[in-house]
């Protein structure tokens, strides 16, 4: 494979920053361009401007690490679906046939039978706007790929964790609350229900999956799960985080969880396709990951 020119959107975000570091360190990448949102916003910018940017960059691979977890249905539609459509149109015009790698979500699956590992061919029935908008983006990218406009890859990322995790995510929010409790600002940590099982995957493993998808010589990767292949309760994940922080106080569960995952009590990735197609397997343990979440917040290192 000749060395690649890669264009990445969202390179300053939680996942995007790890992806940027991993791509920059890979000898197969000759040039890495990371336009900031101030240069082009995938939500508000025009297709014409995006096309011009892509034409100027001349990429072999375009990676989209942008997206939105919360907001109105319109917010989610614009950030997760419409942004993908704009990218497809712009890549088709400026770099026809180039690989387009986007980060999808396990929320595209919706409810899964307890104890099963969900594969990419499992029927998708998302329970909220978040998963629905990601699924729509996945389907549209599949159609564009089938038409030969781009070489589309959707990495269905399960629950990414690691340093810099935003408080819109469970462990990111829990870390902030634990820090506040340790500082005496609160006598306990209040969170929503923690009984659901989730597949937590280290953000560094997500980044290595993106590198594998971007540099794969064969075309047609399609949809690929990116998870740890293990499921633990959110309660266990928070308990491990509290242990890493040295917090032994009360953790109280009340209220309801985020709308994007209500009704999904179990999810675990079948990652066999990722290994078969991309040669990728996760290498970081959950114990490592939660320590990284806390160390980054606590300022003790990453």
């Amino acid at each position: 494979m000749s060395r690649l020119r890669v264009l990445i959107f969202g390179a300053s975000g939680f996942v995007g920053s790890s992806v940027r570091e991993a791509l920059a360190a890979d000898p197969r990448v000759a040039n890495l361009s990371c336009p900031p949102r101030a240069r082009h916003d995938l939500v508000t910018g025009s297709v014409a401007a995006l096309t011009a940017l892509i034409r100027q960059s001349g990429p072999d691979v375009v990676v989209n690490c942008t997206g939105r977890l919360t907001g109105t249905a319109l917010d989610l539609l614009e950030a997760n679906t419409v942004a993908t459509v704009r990218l497809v149109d712009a890549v088709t015009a400026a770099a026809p046939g180039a690989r387009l790698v986007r980060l999808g979500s396990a929320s595209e699956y919706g409810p899964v039978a307890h104890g099963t590992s969900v594969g990419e061919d499992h029927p998708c029935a998302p329970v909220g706007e978040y998963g629905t908008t990601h699924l729509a983006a996945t389907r549209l990218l599949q159609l564009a790929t089938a038409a030969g406009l781009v070489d589309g890859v959707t990495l269905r990322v399960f629950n990414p964790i690691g340093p810099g995790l935003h408080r819109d995510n469970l462990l990111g929010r829990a870390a902030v609350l634990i820090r506040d409790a340790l500082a005496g600002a609160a006598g306990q940590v209040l969170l929503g229900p923690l009984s659901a099982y989730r597949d937590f995957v280290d953000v560094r493993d997500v980044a290595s999956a993106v590198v594998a998808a971007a540099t794969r010589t064969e075309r047609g990767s399609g949809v690929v799960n990116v998870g740890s292949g293990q499921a633990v309760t959110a309660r266990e994940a928070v308990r491990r985080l509290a242990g890493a922080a040295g917090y032994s106080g009360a953790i109280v569960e009340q209220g309801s969880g985020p709308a994007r995952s209500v009704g999904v009590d179990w999810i675990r990735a079948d990652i066999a396709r990722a290994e078969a197609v991309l040669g990728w397997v996760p290498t970081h343990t959950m114990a490592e990951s939660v320590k990284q979440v806390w160390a980054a917040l606590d300022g003790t290192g990453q």
Side-chain angles (χ1 to χ4, degrees), residues 2 11-12 27 41 46 51 71 86 108 118 129 146 158 197 203 256 260 280:
S2 59
S12 63
D41 188 320
S46 69
T51 301
R86 288 185 173 129
E108 297 175 45
V118 62
E129 291 97 344
F158 279 60
Y197 285 80
V203 69
S256 59
R260 64 179 178 273
W280 174 88

Side-chain angles (χ1 to χ4, degrees), residues 179-190:
R179 181 189 62 187
D180 292 346
L182 287 170
Q188 58 187 8
V189 171
L190 299 176

Side-chain angles (χ1 to χ4, degrees), residues 11 19 82 108 119 151 153 159 179 236 279:
V19 171
V82 177
E108 297 175 45
D151 178 20
V153 184
N159 291 79
R179 181 189 62 187
E236 172 66 10

Side-chain angles (χ1 to χ4, degrees), residues 36-78:
R37 183 179 294 178
R39 182 177 176 193
H40 188 86
D41 188 320
L42 290 179
V43 174
T44 61
S46 69
V47 173
L50 180 58
T51 301
L53 187 158
I54 293 173
R55 184 172 288 116
Q56 181 181 22
S57 300
D60 303 293
V61 182
V62 177
V63 179
N64 184 20
C65 294
T66 71
R68 187 161 184 159
L69 285 170
T70 60
T72 66
L74 181 58
D75 291 335
L76 295 169
L77 182 68
E78 290 177 336

Side-chain angles (χ1 to χ4, degrees), residues 158-160 197-201 227-232 267-269 271:
F158 279 60
N159 291 79
Y197 285 80
R198 293 292 179 259
D199 184 327
F200 295 96
V201 57
S228 68
Q230 300 179 18
V232 301
I267 193 78
R268 181 178 65 199
I271 55 175

Side-chain angles (χ1 to χ4, degrees), residues 91-144:
V91 170
T92 299
R99 183 162 298 164
L100 175 53
V101 181
R102 65 172 293 272
L103 301 184
S105 170
S107 293
E108 297 175 45
Y109 288 117
V112 175
H114 189 94
T116 63
S117 295
V118 62
E120 293 84 355
D121 58 351
H122 189 278
C124 292
V127 296
E129 291 97 344
Y130 175 73
T132 299
T133 56
H134 265 294
L135 180 59
T138 296
R139 297 295 196 219
L140 290 166
L141 185 56
Q142 287 175 313
L143 289 172

Side-chain angles (χ1 to χ4, degrees), residues 184-293:
Q188 58 187 8
V189 171
L190 299 176
L191 293 166
L194 301 174
S195 60
Y197 285 80
R198 293 292 179 259
D199 184 327
F200 295 96
V201 57
D202 194 284
V203 69
R204 293 165 293 182
D205 285 325
V206 176
S208 68
V210 173
V211 172
T215 58
R216 183 174 186 257
T217 54
E218 296 85 358
R219 299 174 67 84
S221 298
V223 179
V224 182
N225 285 341
V226 176
S228 68
Q230 300 179 18
V232 301
T233 62
R235 186 176 298 117
E236 172 66 10
V238 172
R239 186 193 67 77
R240 293 190 188 190
L241 178 62
Y247 175 74
S248 58
I251 297 174
V252 179
E253 301 173 37
Q254 64 179 23
S256 59
R260 64 179 178 273
S261 58
V262 169
V264 180
D265 298 324
W266 166 276
I267 193 78
R268 181 178 65 199
D270 180 339
I271 55 175
R273 189 165 194 273
E275 183 173 8
V277 173
L278 301 181
W280 174 88
V281 292
T283 60
H284 296 88
T285 67
M286 185 177 178
E288 292 177 74
S289 302
V290 295
K291 287 179 181 177
Q292 291 287 304
V293 172

